[in-house]
């Protein structure tokens, strides 16, 4: 699991994508509008490897590389 903890101060649309190392989007999920959210992202169905989690909060985009063993 990966924890997604976002605090914005105002209601903003929050979405995330899980992308493999080849650029294939494996999962997209829109979580809705929130001021803050603490979401557990399940990675159990993914093979061992490197993935990018791209998070969109309003018009801002953040990404993080993760390695699943």
């Amino acid at each position: 699991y990966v924890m997604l903890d976002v605090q914005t101060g105002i209601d903003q649309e929050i979405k995330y994508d899980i992308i493999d190392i080849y650029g294939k989007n494996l999962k997209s999920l829109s979580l809705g509008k929130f001021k803050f959210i603490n979401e557990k992202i399940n990675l159990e169905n993914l093979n061992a490897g490197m993935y990018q989690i791209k998070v969109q909060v309003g018009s801002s985009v953040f990404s993080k590389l993760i390695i699943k063993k």
Side-chain angles (χ1 to χ4, degrees):
Y1 292 95
V2 171
M3 294 301 297
L4 176 63
D5 185 21
V6 177
Q7 298 180 17
T8 66
I10 59 172
D11 283 341
Q12 292 196 52
E13 185 72 28
I14 300 173
K15 304 175 185 179
Y16 73 83
D17 299 304
I18 299 177
I19 302 164
D20 70 11
I21 60 172
Y22 304 106
K24 182 179 178 184
N25 192 331
L26 303 175
K27 182 177 183 178
S28 292
L29 187 61
S30 178
L31 301 172
K33 286 190 171 187
F34 296 95
K35 290 181 183 177
F36 63 90
I37 191 166
N38 192 338
E39 177 81 10
K40 184 188 264 188
I41 301 173
N42 185 347
L43 303 177
E44 289 181 350
N45 62 336
L46 299 178
N47 294 326
M50 190 181 318
Y51 299 91
Q52 177 186 23
I53 296 181
K54 184 171 75 171
V55 180
Q56 182 176 349
V57 179
S59 61
S60 299
V61 178
F62 308 91
S63 65
K64 179 82 171 179
L65 289 177
I66 57 168
I67 298 174
K68 181 176 180 203
K69 295 182 181 186

